[in-house]
Amino acid sequence: MDLSFLVIQALNGLSSASSLFITACGLTLVFGVTRIVNFAHGSLYMIGAYTAATLVPRLLEYSFGPITFWAGILAAALFVGIIGILIEVLLLRRIYGAPELFQLLATFGVVLVVQDLVILVFGPEDILGPRAPGLRAPVEILGRRFPSYELVLIAAGPVVLGLVWLLLRKTRFGVLVRAATQDRDMIAALGVNQRLLFTGTLFLGAFLAGLGGALQIPRVSAHAGMDLSIIAEAFVVTVVGGMGSVPGAFLAALIIGQLQAFGILLFPKSTLVVVFLLMAVVLAVRPNGFFGRPEVIGGAHAVGITSRKHSPLTKLFAFFALLILAALPLVGDAYVLKVGTEILIFALFAFSLQLLIGVGGIVSFGHAAFFGLGAYGAALAVKWANLPMEGALPMGLLLAAIGAAAIGAFVVRLSGIYLAMMTLAAAQIIFAVAFQWVDVTGGDNGIVGVWPSAWASGQTMYYLFTLALTAITVFLLTRIIDAPFGYALRAARDSEARAESIGLKIRQHRWIAFAISGAAAGLAGGLYAFSRGSVDPTLLSIPTSVDALTMLLLGGIQTITGPLWGAGVLHVLRDQIMPLTSLWRLVLGASIIAIVLIFPRGLVGTIQYWREERI
């Protein structure tokens, strides 16, 4: 590799870094002020790209020139900014009083809605925008050609950084944004109009996301799916730089851009994993990112299971529910039993996450790591050790528990969104290993031939076997939640300082909780592997983690039975909606948004709240 090649790669890295910073800057500002983990930020980026790719060519038909092109880019960004205002006013403003995780669930619903809306409005085909007038010819650098438009993108990042810096330092709005980033409760106590501040911040964040997407049209086509490809990288930039820190996001984007530019030479299939590795290393050294501030954990914002009343009626209800589920083979056909088996497995998966979030206040965005480790552990035991199902399931559980204990040893040092993103990084690293270690895991083809033992090969017997293991595991986890260990986790969730003052070893308790939760998720993964007869890397992917979060939040994190009901509701919605329409994401997303608005504490949590209010 000669000098010219290295320079061109470095310039490519700077161009990618600049584009990534513009998008991530909006996400940084929104989280800093509102504390919302906005999954829909990538959707706004995608809308910006589609709008610009459609609008700019039409404008150029009337007046061809650089001014028209850049005016179209800004118009697309402004349009996305208005969409950001609508999302804030019509949706987020109505649930600011709800737990912050439910706001995350609402933005996930927006993601699903937008994925189908862009196809409905712009069509299923990719749309490539026009090249920028005056920037079509490449420039020569050290004897190599380099696109001139990429040089403009390199300059765009520092320009946006400078403008945002001026906005934050020289305007009253900027002063309020910086104040809210440091202490949102204080500015509310001072009488600042938070609604107006939040609306302005969402507009600015959406505008920057739209601008980031619009600037891509001369280099990449607007396509469905680009929202998910950008949101993971934007989150990494925001977390590595420090939540709410714009200079930190700029520095993180520069480093990540260079990692991607040169990392592709060494890891052509795993550039995103290199990015997550960077995040893991940074958070291990600096738990709050480059320039982030420590988050205030616990107190008034802590939400989850509190002390529970053990009434005979509750036990009787659980007993009859178990009898009804056990009687399902008497009335259901093979398809109903198959769906019932999947619901039970994912109910166990979601319930394992309840121990972390609902009891310990430990948010995990990478819980699929343990589900997938359990599935792969069982499958590998069948493939390489030739073990039957009875021996393979414990191996999957053990592998998941070991993985959870190893990951937990690192993440318990962190808190809040940094902890959540560290779990996501761990899951993505494990995903990359499963995807690329073809000789052992089968790569993207996975492992096939993972079937139950002969006595459980029938749909009825496997359903009853899954029901028995799920019921036993849920019972054991419930006992742990109600034990002194569970109350110690609650104490640490509600106030770390008070818990430490009375002698509780918070990190040790959370580490044990990670291992227990991972083992339960691994058992669910092993059961899923035998129900399908195969495993593949998608079991370790981000959508699988999102499913667990969605099921838990739909049911309600304040209740024991919430994740069980959430798993059933989500699967029923999917089974009923997907066969009916090609726009199933739109309907499912709208259903999730409606549930969040009507049941801001989850289905079970809100019903329980209504009942308590009447008493």
Side-chain angles (χ1 to χ4, degrees), residues 484-505:
F485 174 79
Y487 280 93
L489 289 175
R490 290 178 178 86
R493 176 198 68 197
D494 295 338
S495 177
E496 282 192 10
R498 292 179 181 177
E500 287 179 342
S501 69
I502 62 174
L504 291 178
K505 298 179 179 179

Side-chain angles (χ1 to χ4, degrees), residues 212-232:
L215 287 172
Q216 304 307 306
I217 62 169
R219 58 203 300 253
V220 297
S221 60
H223 60 277
M226 66 190 305
D227 54 341
L228 299 180
S229 64
I230 191 65
I231 190 61

Side-chain angles (χ1 to χ4, degrees), residues 460-510:
T460 298
M461 286 304 299
Y462 195 76
Y463 168 80
L464 293 174
F465 176 67
T466 302
L467 175 61
L469 284 184
T470 300
I472 292 170
T473 308
V474 168
F475 172 76
L476 293 175
L477 288 175
T478 303
R479 297 290 292 179
I480 292 172
I481 291 171
D482 292 334
F485 174 79
Y487 280 93
L489 289 175
R490 290 178 178 86
R493 176 198 68 197
D494 295 338
S495 177
E496 282 192 10
R498 292 179 181 177
E500 287 179 342
S501 69
I502 62 174
L504 291 178
K505 298 179 179 179
I506 294 177
R507 289 185 180 178
Q508 180 178 327
H509 280 76
R510 287 178 171 171

Side-chain angles (χ1 to χ4, degrees), residues 118-311:
V118 293
I119 296 176
L120 193 64
V121 174
F122 297 102
E125 301 295 329
D126 295 357
I127 304 177
L128 182 63
R131 288 182 291 176
L135 298 171
R136 297 186 174 186
V139 296
E140 189 168 307
I141 300 175
L142 298 178
R144 291 179 180 266
R145 290 187 171 186
F146 187 75
S148 54
Y149 184 76
E150 299 293 311
L151 294 176
V152 175
L153 282 183
I154 292 174
V159 169
V160 169
L161 175 64
L163 292 175
V164 171
W165 184 89
L166 288 173
L167 177 68
L168 296 179
R169 296 288 174 176
K170 303 299 182 181
T171 66
R172 183 175 184 273
F173 173 76
V175 171
L176 293 177
V177 168
R178 287 190 291 120
T181 300
Q182 297 181 21
D183 195 335
R184 189 174 62 175
D185 294 333
M186 180 58 71
I187 68 165
L190 293 174
V192 174
N193 187 336
Q194 282 195 312
R195 287 190 173 187
L196 187 60
L197 177 62
F198 287 1
T199 303
T201 305
L202 260 295
F203 169 78
L204 179 59
F207 172 83
L208 290 171
L211 180 62
L215 287 172
Q216 304 307 306
I217 62 169
R219 58 203 300 253
V220 297
S221 60
H223 60 277
M226 66 190 305
D227 54 341
L228 299 180
S229 64
I230 191 65
I231 190 61
E233 293 182 359
F235 270 127
V236 172
V237 168
T238 302
V239 170
V240 170
M243 300 302 288
S245 172
V246 174
F250 184 74
L251 176 60
L254 286 177
I255 296 174
I256 288 171
Q258 295 305 314
L259 273 178
Q260 289 178 323
F262 291 98
I264 195 172
L265 303 177
L266 300 175
F267 307 100
K269 296 181 180 180
S270 303
T271 53
L272 185 58
V273 174
V274 173
V275 170
F276 278 108
L277 276 172
L278 168 69
M279 183 173 70
V281 171
V282 170
L283 292 183
V285 178
R286 296 186 62 86
N288 300 305
F290 288 145
F291 304 123
R293 296 173 177 268
E295 292 188 273
V296 178
I297 306 300
H301 301 291
V303 177
I305 296 174
T306 56
S307 58
R308 302 197 306 125
K309 299 177 181 179
H310 300 276
S311 65

Side-chain angles (χ1 to χ4, degrees), residues 537-552:
T538 60
L539 301 182
L540 294 153
S541 64
I542 293 176
T544 304
S545 293
V546 172
D547 280 348
L549 269 173
T550 303
M551 290 182 288
L552 175 58

Side-chain angles (χ1 to χ4, degrees), residues 378 382 387-394 451-453 455-456 462 465 527 530:
V382 171
L387 291 178
M389 179 184 69
E390 297 85 350
L393 277 176
W451 298 112
S453 299
W455 65 268
Y462 195 76
F465 176 67
L527 288 170
F530 282 106

